[in-house]
Amino acid sequence: MKQFFKMMFASALGAILAAGLLITLSIFLLIGISASMSQPTAFSPSSNSVLKIALNGALSDQKTDNPYAMLLGEEDTELSLTDILKAIKEAKNSDNIKGIYIEAGNFSAGSSSIDAIRRAITDFKESGKFVVAYGDQYTQGSYYLASVADKVYINPQGALLLTGMSSQTMFYKGLLNKLGVEMLIFKVGTYKGAVEPFMLDKLSDANREQISSYMNGIWDNITADIAKSRKITVEDVNHYADQGFAIALPEKALECGLVDELKYKPEAEEYVKDLAGQTDKKLKTVGVDKVRNIKSKEGKSKNKIAVLYAEGEITEAVTSPYSMDKSITEKVAKELIKLKEDESIKAVVLRVNSPGGSAFTSEQIWKQVLELKKVKPIVVSMGDVAASGGYYISCAANKIVAEPNTLTGSIGIFGMFPNMTGLFNKVALTTDVVKTNTYADLGDVSRPMREDEKALIQGRIESGYDTFITRCADGRGMTKAAIDSIGQGRVWTGEQAIEKGLVDELGGIEKAIAVAAKLADLKDYKLVEVSGSKDFLKDLFEKQLDEVKLNVVKQLMGEDFEYFKTLNLIKSAPAIQTRLPYDVQPL
C-alpha cells in the first residue's frame, strides 16, 4: 500500500510539474508573440491612400500597448498624441497619401492636446492636400478638432454636443461628518482648493475665482479657434451653446455654420474617395498605427535629443490597485540620471502632463532635472496640465514651453489627516496605547490630534511650501516673494503663466524640441523617446492582475465605484502633497 501511495504521489507531482512547465512555456510564447506584434514595421502606403484618424477613446501622450488586446483582437481605446502627430507629419511628406479623413466618435482629450493636433493638421493643409471630417455624433472635443477640416459633415440624425465648459466639485464634508470622521487640514496657499471638499460644503470665493478665470480663458481660446476655422464669429459659436442647440437636430449646427452639410457616413466616404482619386467601390484608408511607421530619411548625425515622458499623478512606489491610470514615480528620476550619463544624448525634452501628487517624489525628480541641467540642456514641454507637483518637477529646467490652454502653477502644499473618533464611538470601538515617547503615536486616527501635534505638522507644511517656492525662485530667476505672490496654490493657464514669468514660450512639444536643439547648438539630430514604464514581463502580469481586480470591484459597486475610488486614493495618498485642486475634466 505504501508503494502504491508513493507511486500515486510521484505521478501527481510529475503531472503538476509538467503542467507548470507547459504553462510557463505558453506564457513565454505569448509574450514573444505579443512583443513581436508590438514591434513597429516599416510601412509604405499605396498610391491615393487616405490617412484615417479615428477619434474614439481617450487621448494620452504615450500609448501603453496591451499585448493581450492585440492577441485577442480586442479594440484598444487608448490614443497616443505622439503617434497622431507623427502620422500627420509623415502623411504630409508622403506623395502617396492624398488627404486625411477624420471620423469622430466617443473622444476624450484635453484642449491642449487637441490644440497640438489642430496645429499639425493646419500644417498638413499647407501641402494642398484635403482634410474631411465626419461624425455620427460629435463630442465637444472631437468637434473642436474636426472644425479645422476643409469640410465638416454630420449625420442627419446625429448631434453636435457643443455646450460650453463646466467644473463640478464634490464635497465630502457632510458624508464624513455622518460617518464620524473629521479631516484635519494643513495647508499653505489661499487658492489650494484640493482640500476644500473635506473642509467646506461649497467652493470658497478664492477657488471659484480661479476656476472661473482659467476656464473662461480656455473657452475663449476654443471658441476663437472654432470661429476662425469655420469663418464665423465667436458670438455664433456661443449662440449655439447658449441656446441648447446641442439637444436639437443637426440642422441647427448647419444654420449656425458649424458644419458644411448633413451626410450619411457612406456619402461622406464616397466624397473622400473621389477626392483621393480612388476607383474602388469602398473607401480605402490607412490608420495612424501604420502611417506613423512610414520610414523617413534619417539624418547621419549621431547626436540625439531624448524626449522623456512624465505622465499621470506623481506617486510613491505603492499605487492604488483600483486605478489603471498612468503615474509618475522615482523611475523618472532614474531615467534622468541615465540620460545625463549618456554622451550621445545632447539635450533632453521632459514632457510633463501631471496634476502633481507626492511632494517627496516631486523633490527627487526636481533634483535630477537640476543635475542634468549642469551637463546638458533640458527643456520642459507642458501638456494639458503641469500643475503643483507637475510644476515642481518642471521649474529647474533651462526653458519651459506650455500650450496656451495648459493648466499650470498651483504652487502650494497641503496635508490631510483623519480623526475617526466619532466613527469609533458610533461602532463602540475602543483602543489603548502604550508608548515610549511623546510623539510615538502621532497620526493615531482613534483620538483627536493635540494642539502641539497640529503645530508640528503645520510647521512641516510651511517648511515644505518654503522649499517649493525656493525651488521655483531659483529655477525661474525670481525672488521668493515674487513666486509667493503668484503662488498660494493659484492655477494659471499657459497664456497667463507666461505673463507671470512661470513659462518661457507658448507651443507644443515640437516647439520644445526646437528650443532644446537651439540650446544644444544642434542642426542635425535624431529624436529618442524614453518611456518610464516597468519591465515588460513584470508590467504585463501586474497589469492583467490589476485589471481583474478592477473589473470585479467595478461590477460589484456599479455607479458607486467612482466615489470608492476617490476615497481609496485619499487613504493611499501620501500625507503631504503638491496637487491640483481637482481632477481635470477632458473636453
Side-chain angles (χ1 to χ4, degrees):
M1 184 63 70
K2 269 186 177 184
Q3 193 66 24
F4 170 76
F5 282 116
K6 280 183 181 181
M7 292 178 63
M8 184 183 71
F9 284 130
S11 300
L13 181 59
I16 293 171
L17 290 174
L21 180 60
L22 181 61
I23 291 171
T24 302
L25 290 173
S26 300
I27 289 172
F28 279 103
L29 178 62
L30 283 173
I31 290 171
I33 294 172
S34 60
S36 64
M37 289 175 67
S38 65
Q39 292 296 318
T41 54
F43 174 71
S44 297
S46 57
S47 60
N48 299 333
S49 292
V50 175
L51 167 60
K52 179 179 178 180
I53 302 178
L55 302 179
N56 190 29
L59 183 69
S60 59
D61 281 348
Q62 266 197 322
K63 179 180 177 181
T64 304
D65 291 324
N66 186 340
Y68 281 130
M70 290 188 290
L71 284 170
L72 299 176
E74 296 176 357
E75 184 179 358
D76 197 341
T77 58
E78 186 178 12
L79 302 174
S80 163
L81 174 62
T82 303
D83 289 348
I84 292 174
L85 295 180
K86 189 174 188 305
I88 294 172
K89 182 179 179 180
E90 297 295 346
K92 178 187 176 183
N93 296 328
S94 173
D95 293 334
N96 289 334
I97 295 182
K98 302 303 180 183
I100 292 177
Y101 174 47
I102 301 172
E103 186 176 275
N106 187 19
F107 182 57
S108 174
S111 61
S112 293
S113 295
I114 296 175
D115 280 340
I117 301 175
R118 289 180 103 255
R119 279 197 308 273
I121 293 177
T122 300
D123 179 69
F124 172 88
K125 289 166 68 175
E126 291 180 2
S127 66
K129 300 177 181 182
F130 68 83
V131 180
V132 175
Y134 168 82
D136 289 334
Q137 175 175 286
Y138 287 98
T139 64
Q140 196 153 255
S142 64
Y143 177 73
Y144 179 36
L145 177 50
S147 65
V148 77
D150 302 313
K151 294 290 183 180
V152 181
Y153 298 125
I154 189 171
N155 190 289
Q157 295 300 314
L160 199 166
L161 306 177
L162 193 69
T163 58
M165 295 178 66
S166 66
S167 173
Q168 184 184 67
T169 302
M170 183 172 291
F171 294 85
Y172 306 102
K173 180 185 175 184
L175 171 63
L176 293 174
N177 286 343
K178 285 188 175 183
L179 293 174
V181 178
E182 175 194 15
M183 292 300 293
L184 301 175
I185 308 297
F186 304 88
K187 71 185 181 83
V188 177
T190 305
Y191 295 92
K192 203 63 181 173
V195 297
E196 288 190 356
F198 305 96
M199 58 187 290
L200 303 175
D201 53 18
K202 65 178 182 179
L203 295 172
S204 66
D205 292 340
N207 200 11
R208 184 178 297 276
E209 173 199 347
Q210 74 166 344
I211 294 174
S212 177
S213 175
Y214 62 66
M215 196 162 60
N216 280 302
I218 293 172
W219 182 246
D220 288 347
N221 288 337
I222 290 172
T223 53
D225 288 342
I226 291 173
K228 182 179 179 181
S229 296
R230 296 299 305 163
K231 296 180 174 58
I232 57 179
T233 67
V234 170
E235 288 72 23
D236 292 330
V237 180
N238 280 317
H239 175 72
Y240 181 90
D242 290 336
Q243 294 300 312
F245 288 157
I247 309 301
L249 288 174
E251 280 82 3
K252 290 296 182 182
L254 185 62
E255 290 174 15
C256 293
L258 296 174
V259 299
D260 293 291
E261 198 174 336
L262 308 183
K263 282 182 181 288
Y264 290 98
K265 185 176 179 180
E267 295 172 336
E269 291 184 344
E270 183 68 23
Y271 176 75
V272 173
K273 183 168 71 73
D274 291 342
L275 285 179
Q278 296 182 9
T279 57
D280 295 318
K281 289 185 178 182
K282 291 185 178 181
L283 172 66
K284 291 187 176 180
T285 62
V286 287
V288 168
D289 58 334
K290 290 185 177 179
V291 177
R292 67 174 180 173
N293 293 323
I294 291 178
K295 194 171 184 180
S296 302
K297 292 181 181 179
E298 294 186 353
K300 296 180 180 179
S301 175
K302 294 182 180 179
N303 297 325
K304 300 174 184 176
I305 293 179
V307 180
L308 173 60
Y309 291 88
E311 187 173 10
E313 188 161 343
I314 301 173
T315 66
E316 296 177 10
V318 179
T319 57
S320 169
Y322 305 107
S323 173
M324 294 301 294
D325 298 332
K326 293 182 174 69
S327 61
I328 300 169
T329 67
E330 284 192 51
K331 174 77 171 176
V332 174
K334 294 175 182 177
E335 293 295 341
L336 287 166
I337 294 173
K338 292 180 185 177
L339 294 173
K340 180 186 67 175
E341 296 172 350
D342 188 339
E343 294 183 359
S344 69
I345 303 294
K346 304 302 180 183
V348 175
V349 172
L350 177 61
R351 173 68 174 188
V352 179
N353 208 337
S354 172
S358 165
F360 177 83
T361 304
S362 299
E363 170 76 6
Q364 311 316 304
I365 297 172
W366 164 86
K367 173 63 175 174
Q368 295 312 318
V369 170
L370 186 68
E371 291 301 314
L372 187 145
K373 188 170 71 168
K374 296 175 182 178
V375 178
K376 59 192 72 173
I378 177 167
V379 176
V380 164
S381 168
M382 292 181 167
D384 294 313
V385 56
S388 204
Y391 190 79
Y392 198 132
I393 67 176
S394 304
C395 66
N398 294 89
K399 297 287 183 181
I400 298 176
V401 180
E403 295 278 4
N405 293 342
T406 295
L407 293 184
T408 189
S410 191
I411 300 169
I413 189 167
F414 68 90
M416 294 191 297
F417 296 82
N419 170 20
M420 298 186 178
T421 306
L423 176 61
F424 279 40
N425 290 338
K426 286 177 184 289
V427 297
L429 185 64
T430 61
T431 64
D432 203 353
V433 177
V434 177
K435 60 183 181 179
T436 60
N437 297 86
T438 306
Y439 297 105
D441 62 339
L442 177 65
D444 183 355
V445 300
S446 68
R447 63 170 177 80
M449 190 174 286
R450 303 190 308 268
E451 292 303 316
D452 60 315
E453 293 174 315
K454 292 179 182 178
L456 280 175
I457 295 173
Q458 184 61 37
R460 177 66 183 86
I461 297 295
E462 291 174 3
S463 174
Y465 179 69
D466 184 71
T467 299
F468 195 168
I469 63 173
T470 299
R471 304 298 188 229
C472 295
D474 292 343
R476 301 302 301 164
M478 301 169 66
T479 64
K480 288 170 62 175
I483 293 293
D484 183 50
S485 68
I486 56 177
Q488 295 291 319
R490 178 71 184 252
V491 180
W492 308 98
T493 64
E495 281 183 327
Q496 295 168 337
I498 201 168
E499 296 174 0
K500 304 296 180 182
L502 296 175
V503 166
D504 295 294
E505 296 189 44
L506 294 179
I509 193 166
E510 70 285 347
K511 170 64 76 66
I513 292 169
V515 171
K518 184 176 180 180
L519 289 175
D521 196 24
L522 297 176
K523 293 182 180 179
D524 188 20
Y525 55 86
K526 296 179 182 179
L527 290 179
V528 177
E529 293 185 357
V530 182
S531 173
S533 61
K534 299 175 185 176
D535 171 76
F536 177 78
L537 178 61
K538 183 178 178 183
D539 186 50
L540 178 65
F541 290 111
E542 286 185 355
K543 182 175 181 180
Q544 297 307 314
L545 181 60
D546 283 346
E547 283 181 346
V548 171
K549 293 178 183 176
L550 186 66
N551 288 329
V552 170
V553 175
K554 276 185 175 180
Q555 290 294 325
L556 289 174
M557 302 198 71
E559 294 180 356
D560 294 330
F561 172 74
E562 287 302 319
Y563 306 131
F564 166 76
K565 179 180 170 182
T566 301
L567 292 173
N568 186 73
L569 286 173
I570 296 166
K571 181 185 73 175
S572 61
I576 300 176
Q577 298 186 67
T578 53
R579 199 192 189 286
L580 198 66
Y582 71 109
D583 289 319
V584 181
Q585 298 299 314
L587 286 179

